[in-house]
Coordinates of all heavy atoms in Angstrom, one line a residue:
T1 N 0.9 -1.2 0.0 CA 0.1 0.0 0.0 C 0.9 1.2 0.1 O 0.5 2.1 -0.7 CB -0.9 0.0 1.2 OG1 -1.9 -1.1 1.1 CG2 -1.7 1.4 1.3
Q2 N 1.9 1.3 0.8 CA 2.8 2.3 0.8 C 3.3 2.7 -0.5 O 3.4 4.0 -0.9 CB 4.0 2.3 1.8 CG 4.9 3.4 1.9 CD 6.0 3.2 2.8 OE1 6.0 2.3 3.8 NE2 7.1 3.9 2.7
K3 N 3.9 1.7 -1.2 CA 4.4 1.9 -2.6 C 3.4 2.6 -3.6 O 3.7 3.5 -4.3 CB 5.1 0.6 -3.2 CG 6.2 0.3 -2.4 CD 6.8 -0.9 -3.1 CE 8.2 -1.4 -2.4 NZ 8.8 -2.5 -3.0
K4 N 2.1 2.0 -3.5 CA 1.1 2.5 -4.4 C 0.8 4.0 -4.1 O 0.6 4.7 -5.0 CB -0.1 1.6 -4.2 CG 0.0 0.2 -4.9 CD -1.3 -0.6 -4.5 CE -1.4 -2.0 -5.0 NZ -2.5 -2.8 -4.7
L5 N 0.6 4.2 -2.8 CA 0.2 5.5 -2.5 C 1.4 6.6 -2.7 O 1.1 7.8 -3.0 CB -0.2 5.5 -1.0 CG -1.6 4.9 -0.7 CD1 -1.8 5.0 0.8 CD2 -2.8 5.7 -1.5
M6 N 2.8 6.1 -2.4 CA 3.7 7.0 -2.7 C 3.8 7.4 -4.2 O 4.0 8.7 -4.4 CB 5.1 6.3 -2.4 CG 5.4 6.2 -0.9 SD 7.1 5.8 -0.4 CE 8.1 7.0 -1.2
R7 N 3.6 6.5 -5.1 CA 3.6 6.8 -6.5 C 2.5 7.8 -6.9 O 2.8 8.8 -7.6 CB 3.6 5.6 -7.4 CG 5.0 4.7 -7.2 CD 5.0 3.5 -8.1 NE 4.9 3.8 -9.6 CZ 5.9 3.8 -10.3 NH1 7.1 3.4 -9.9 NH2 5.8 4.1 -11.6
Y8 N 1.4 7.5 -6.4 CA 0.2 8.3 -6.7 C 0.3 9.7 -6.2 O 0.2 10.7 -7.0 CB -1.1 7.7 -6.3 CG -2.3 8.6 -6.5 CD1 -2.8 8.8 -7.8 CD2 -2.9 9.2 -5.5 CE1 -3.9 9.6 -8.1 CE2 -4.0 10.1 -5.7 CZ -4.5 10.4 -6.9 OH -5.5 11.1 -7.2
M9 N 0.6 9.8 -4.9 CA 0.8 11.1 -4.2 C 2.0 11.9 -4.7 O 1.9 13.1 -4.7 CB 0.8 10.9 -2.7 CG -0.5 10.3 -2.1 SD -1.9 11.3 -2.3 CE -1.5 12.8 -1.2
F10 N 3.0 11.3 -5.1 CA 4.2 11.9 -5.8 C 3.8 12.5 -7.0 O 4.0 13.6 -7.3 CB 5.3 11.0 -5.8 CG 6.6 11.5 -6.4 CD1 7.1 12.8 -6.1 CD2 7.4 10.7 -7.3 CE1 8.1 13.2 -6.7 CE2 8.5 11.2 -7.8 CZ 8.9 12.5 -7.6
E11 N 3.3 11.7 -7.8 CA 3.0 12.2 -9.3 C 1.8 13.2 -9.3 O 1.8 14.1 -10.1 CB 2.7 11.0 -10.1 CG 3.8 10.0 -10.3 CD 3.5 8.7 -11.0 OE1 2.5 8.6 -11.8 OE2 4.3 7.7 -10.7
K12 N 0.8 13.0 -8.4 CA -0.4 13.9 -8.4 C -0.2 15.2 -7.6 O -0.6 16.3 -8.0 CB -1.6 13.1 -7.8 CG -2.9 14.0 -7.7 CD -3.6 14.2 -9.0 CE -4.9 14.7 -8.8 NZ -5.5 15.0 -10.1
Y13 N 0.6 15.1 -6.4 CA 0.5 16.1 -5.5 C 1.9 16.6 -5.0 O 2.1 17.6 -4.4 CB -0.3 15.8 -4.2 CG -1.8 15.7 -4.5 CD1 -2.4 14.5 -4.4 CD2 -2.6 16.8 -4.7 CE1 -3.7 14.1 -4.6 CE2 -4.0 16.6 -4.9 CZ -4.5 15.3 -4.8 OH -5.8 15.1 -5.0
G14 N 2.9 15.9 -5.5 CA 4.2 16.1 -5.0 C 4.4 15.9 -3.5 O 5.2 16.5 -2.8
K15 N 3.6 14.8 -3.0 CA 3.6 14.6 -1.5 C 3.8 13.1 -1.3 O 2.9 12.4 -0.9 CB 2.4 15.1 -0.8 CG 2.1 16.6 -0.9 CD 0.8 17.0 -0.3 CE 0.8 16.9 1.1 NZ -0.5 17.4 1.8
P16 N 5.1 12.6 -1.7 CA 5.1 11.0 -1.7 C 5.0 10.3 -0.4 O 4.5 9.2 -0.4 CB 6.6 10.9 -2.3 CG 7.3 12.2 -2.0 CD 6.2 13.3 -2.1
T17 N 5.4 10.9 0.7 CA 5.2 10.3 2.0 C 4.0 10.6 2.7 O 3.8 10.4 3.9 CB 6.4 10.6 2.9 OG1 6.5 11.9 3.2 CG2 7.8 10.2 2.2
W18 N 3.0 11.0 2.0 CA 1.6 11.2 2.6 C 1.2 10.0 3.6 O 0.7 10.3 4.6 CB 0.6 11.6 1.6 CG -0.7 11.8 2.2 CD1 -1.3 12.9 2.8 CD2 -1.7 10.8 2.6 NE1 -2.5 12.7 3.3 CE2 -2.9 11.3 3.1 CE3 -2.0 9.4 2.2 CZ2 -4.0 10.6 3.4 CZ3 -3.0 8.6 2.5 CH2 -4.1 9.4 3.2
F19 N 1.2 8.9 3.0 CA 0.7 7.7 3.8 C 1.4 7.6 5.1 O 0.9 7.5 6.2 CB 1.0 6.4 3.0 CG 0.5 5.1 3.6 CD1 -0.8 5.0 4.1 CD2 1.3 4.1 3.7 CE1 -1.3 3.9 4.7 CE2 0.9 2.9 4.3 CZ -0.4 2.8 4.8
I20 N 2.8 7.7 5.2 CA 3.6 7.6 6.2 C 3.3 8.8 7.3 O 3.1 8.6 8.4 CB 5.2 7.6 5.9 CG1 5.5 6.3 5.2 CG2 6.0 7.6 7.2 CD1 5.1 5.0 6.0
D21 N 3.3 10.0 6.7 CA 3.0 11.2 7.4 C 1.5 11.1 8.1 O 1.4 11.5 9.2 CB 3.2 12.4 6.6 CG 4.6 12.7 6.2 OD1 5.5 12.3 6.9 OD2 4.8 13.2 5.1
R22 N 0.6 10.6 7.3 CA -0.7 10.6 8.0 C -0.7 9.6 9.0 O -1.3 9.8 10.1 CB -1.6 10.0 6.8 CG -3.2 9.9 7.2 CD -3.7 11.2 7.5 NE -5.1 11.2 7.9 CZ -5.9 12.1 8.2 NH1 -5.4 13.4 8.2 NH2 -7.2 11.9 8.6
L23 N 0.0 8.4 8.9 CA 0.0 7.5 10.1 C 0.8 8.0 11.3 O 0.4 7.8 12.3 CB 0.7 6.2 9.6 CG 0.0 5.4 8.6 CD1 0.8 4.2 8.3 CD2 -1.3 4.9 9.1
I24 N 1.7 8.9 11.0 CA 2.5 9.6 12.2 C 1.5 10.4 13.1 O 1.6 10.6 14.2 CB 3.7 10.4 11.6 CG1 4.8 9.3 11.0 CG2 4.2 11.2 12.6 CD1 5.8 10.0 10.4
Y25 N 0.5 11.0 12.3 CA -0.5 11.8 13.0 C -1.5 10.9 13.6 O -2.0 11.1 14.7 CB -1.1 12.7 12.0 CG -0.2 14.0 11.8 CD1 0.9 13.9 11.0 CD2 -0.5 15.3 12.4 CE1 1.7 15.0 10.8 CE2 0.3 16.2 12.2 CZ 1.4 16.2 11.4 OH 2.1 17.3 11.2
T26 N -2.1 10.0 12.9 CA -3.3 9.1 13.4 C -2.8 7.9 14.4 O -3.6 7.7 15.3 CB -4.1 8.5 12.2 OG1 -3.1 7.7 11.5 CG2 -4.5 9.5 11.3

């Protein structure tokens, strides 16, 4: 899941570690 979301968020928003950062908060 991390790899899928990294690629999508990097290419779409320039925020590749969103998944990890979101978990750091939640």
Side-chain angles (χ1 to χ4, degrees):
T1 296
Q2 180 180 341
K3 289 183 178 183
K4 290 177 180 179
L5 289 174
M6 281 189 70
R7 291 181 66 100
Y8 175 73
M9 293 296 292
F10 179 40
E11 295 170 22
K12 176 74 173 180
Y13 296 106
K15 301 176 70 171
T17 61
W18 174 87
F19 181 53
I20 296 299
D21 293 329
R22 183 70 181 175
L23 292 177
I24 288 172
Y25 281 74
T26 59

